[in-house]
Amino acid sequence: MRAKAAYELTVTRTGRTPGRLAAPDRVDHIEVVSLDDLEVVLFWDVHARDTGRMEAALRADLERLEPDEFLARWATVESADEV
């Protein structure tokens, strides 16, 4: 089973402008939610300019990794700089 069957990715942008044009202090939120119990298992506050890159990496790993591999990979990531 792929991780996308066990987890859902939620990205909350705190502004209307695209990330690359956003103010340097704008922070977006990224959550990974378990579909079994609807609990947030991973959460990051990300600078708006990094949101797109981190979201793309998360979606790619949701497609290719097993749920346990996905959690092991992303549980240690603290910021978009580590992606």
Side-chain angles (χ1 to χ4, degrees):
M1 170 171 73
R2 297 290 176 219
K4 70 177 183 176
Y7 304 110
E8 179 179 80
L9 183 65
T10 304
V11 178
T12 305
R13 290 175 171 78
T14 58
R16 296 184 351 163
T17 58
R20 65 185 179 280
L21 301 175
D25 60 340
R26 188 179 108 190
V27 176
D28 294 338
H29 312 287
I30 298 177
E31 298 176 347
V32 176
V33 178
S34 170
L35 295 176
D36 288 338
D37 55 8
L38 301 177
E39 293 289 328
V40 175
V41 292
L42 300 170
F43 180 86
W44 296 273
D45 290 325
V46 181
H47 291 286
R49 294 175 186 213
D50 298 326
T51 301
R53 182 170 45 94
M54 191 163 182
E55 178 183 6
L58 280 160
R59 290 197 189 280
D61 282 354
L62 282 169
E63 289 287 332
R64 70 178 182 87
L65 297 176
E66 298 293 320
D68 293 340
E69 295 172 322
F70 178 83
L71 272 186
R73 154 88 173 96
W74 286 96
T76 60
V77 174
E78 293 185 17
S79 70
D81 296 334
E82 298 177 32
V83 176

